[in-house]
Amino acid sequence: MLLAVTAVGVIAWQVIAVLTAGAGSVTIPEPVQLQILGEIIAGTALASGCTITVLLVLSPAPRELAPMLAATPLRPGSWLLGQLATPIAIATVFAPLVMSPVIASSVHLSGSRLGPALVAGAVLGSAAGTVILAALIKAAEALFCRLGIPRTIATSISAGVALAASAGVYARWSREEWVSALPLADAANKSWTAVVLVVVVLGTAASALCVIGRLAPPEHAAAVVRWFPTPSRTHLSSALADVVQSVRNPLFASTVTLMGIAVVATVLVTPPASPAWATVMFLLMVAVPSSVCLITYGTNRRALWLRTSIRRESSAMWGVIKLGTTAMLAGMLLLAVTGVGAALGHLAAVPWTTVLACTALASAACLLAGVHFPADLEMPGAPVIAFLEAVALTIAPLALASTFATDSARTIVLLVAAAIWTVAVPALVRIRRNRSITA
């Protein structure tokens, strides 16, 4: 049933692409056609690269599959290439399908002379972008694993770095007339030469990926988690245990790393004199602290029963302690973002009352959604579902306050909604733990 619905949706999208391309003949200059070819190749490459990045980050850890594959006469490099085959195929096909309206319109504008080269460039550009991003991510991941960093953290960091680098290259070269600059006289020859160059890049990236697969090391022990102290037996040991468990968790490190990359990318992309900095700072000050709340319950939920079976007082105080430590970690990230804004001189136009109220609401919504769909190292995609729920829990009070509350009461409405979501968290945790001690 799902395959049938997917097939119908794909066919309908292609029909829409053909219909929106228009009818008749439109003549545009050949340099513009070559420019369109270059942008289509770069656009499909970036779209497929973004797709493979998301698929690799959200793929579950093959911890159960690895012992079974170890008994087969296969090399570890073959395991890696076999695991990458499906995500690469999906990303390669997905990008041209999504961009089919743009591709169809471009083919219509290019005519029968350059149209086939444009279609071939779109397909091969998608494949090249997928393989290049996969090779970059796996190369960086292998480097981080050799340093003793857990594979989950290594994958997240590698994906963020590779995607940022590809976006920078796209921003630099997408508008360059590199196809027109080829040393050939005929436009058709230039277009097919560009397609051949894409094939060369694809072959080079595929060869590099095969070499990386052969040289990729096995997953080492998570040495990075030992960089943080072990809590001692003091009256604050329960709170310190929560902090250490959260900070030691690879999901926490991955989340903080990706948020840091997002902040740096935003600073680099937004011009210093842009009037959008007030909105940018508002979004960063809301999104970065709340991202920690999204994964805070999943960091120690499977081992929490050990503490509660030894110390009953920590079980009784779990809600207060966990909420307090989560608020502390989120506050530290908020201070970090505020420091970046202060260093850049963009805090003057920030509406602090609205920002703090929205941050509290988004953090409480993320905390509640994170309990509904706990983050797990075996399935890193769970935070995506939790994120969608958190967005709904945040937008609903915001829409209610914007529609029915006055300006002075709007902040109160947001804070009341944040308090309701926060109070609901311990109750939901208690319901989960009554059902299973590792829920």
Side-chain angles (χ1 to χ4, degrees):
M1 182 63 182
L2 180 59
L3 291 178
V5 173
T6 303
V8 171
V10 170
I11 294 174
W13 184 249
Q14 302 313 304
V15 171
I16 294 174
V18 174
L19 293 177
T20 55
S25 59
V26 179
T27 303
I28 59 175
E30 288 187 346
V32 178
Q33 297 181 23
L34 296 177
Q35 175 68 15
I36 291 176
L37 173 62
E39 293 185 1
I40 287 294
I41 293 175
T44 53
L46 182 63
S48 62
C50 295
T51 305
I52 189 65
T53 301
V54 173
L55 292 177
L56 292 181
V57 171
L58 299 183
S59 298
R63 298 183 179 180
E64 288 77 13
L65 182 62
M68 292 187 290
L69 292 176
T72 61
L74 295 175
R75 296 181 178 180
S78 301
W79 304 356
L80 176 63
L81 296 179
Q83 295 168 9
L84 290 177
T86 301
I88 287 177
I90 293 175
T92 301
V93 175
F94 180 77
L97 286 179
V98 173
M99 296 182 61
S100 55
V102 178
I103 297 174
S105 300
S106 302
V107 171
H108 175 67
L109 293 175
S110 299
S112 60
R113 192 160 180 256
L114 299 184
L118 195 146
V119 174
V123 175
L124 293 173
S126 177
T130 302
V131 178
I132 289 172
L133 263 294
L136 289 177
I137 292 173
K138 290 303 174 181
E141 181 183 289
L143 175 61
F144 290 131
C145 286
R146 288 190 180 277
L147 298 177
I149 296 177
R151 190 172 294 276
T152 305
I153 300 178
T155 302
S156 299
I157 298 175
S158 304
V161 173
L163 193 58
S166 61
V169 172
Y170 174 80
R172 172 64 179 83
W173 294 102
S174 63
R175 298 294 181 179
E176 294 289 334
E177 298 182 1
W178 61 276
V179 181
S180 300
L182 294 175
L184 295 171
D186 187 63
N189 293 335
K190 288 184 178 181
S191 63
W192 285 110
T193 303
V195 173
V196 172
L197 291 178
V198 175
V199 174
V200 173
V201 173
L202 173 60
T204 304
S207 302
L209 184 59
C210 293
V211 174
I212 293 168
R214 291 182 175 273
L215 300 179
E219 186 172 3
H220 294 289
V224 69
V225 301
R226 297 195 295 269
W227 298 350
F228 302 100
T230 301
S232 59
R233 294 182 177 275
T234 64
H235 64 283
L236 294 178
S237 59
S238 295
L240 183 57
D242 279 324
V243 174
V244 172
Q245 282 182 324
S246 297
V247 175
R248 282 182 172 181
N249 190 272
L251 285 175
F252 178 88
S254 300
T255 302
V256 174
T257 301
L258 292 178
M259 287 297 104
I261 293 174
V263 171
V264 173
T266 303
V267 172
L268 294 178
V269 170
T270 309
S274 174
W277 265 109
T279 304
V280 170
M281 288 303 304
F282 175 82
L283 294 176
L284 291 178
M285 296 174 74
V286 172
V288 174
S290 60
S291 63
V292 176
C293 301
L294 196 66
I295 52 100
T296 186
Y297 177 71
T299 54
N300 67 344
R301 66 188 180 98
R302 295 188 182 277
L304 185 65
W305 66 275
L306 295 173
R307 292 175 53 225
T308 57
S309 63
I310 298 173
R311 294 185 176 181
R312 294 188 178 276
E313 66 273 11
S314 67
S315 175
M317 292 293 291
W318 186 91
V320 176
I321 292 175
K322 193 65 176 180
L323 293 176
T325 55
T326 302
M328 183 189 68
L329 294 174
M332 292 174 62
L333 291 181
L334 179 60
L335 289 177
V337 176
T338 304
V340 173
L344 298 175
H346 297 302
L347 292 182
V350 173
W352 285 101
T353 303
T354 305
V355 166
L356 295 178
C358 291
T359 302
L361 175 61
S363 300
C366 288
L367 188 61
L368 183 60
V371 178
H372 274 142
F373 301 97
D376 198 311
L377 290 177
E378 298 295 334
M379 189 59 197
V384 177
I385 304 176
F387 170 76
L388 297 177
E389 181 185 352
V391 170
L393 293 175
T394 304
I395 291 179
L398 281 173
L400 181 64
S402 301
T403 304
F404 299 103
T406 61
D407 293 339
S408 58
R410 192 169 300 163
T411 303
I412 299 177
V413 173
L414 298 181
L415 293 177
V416 169
I420 294 174
W421 300 154
T422 304
V423 172
V425 170
L428 182 58
V429 171
R430 191 174 297 109
I431 293 174
R432 292 185 64 93
R433 305 203 70 79
N434 287 336
R435 188 170 65 245
S436 173
I437 59 174
T438 60

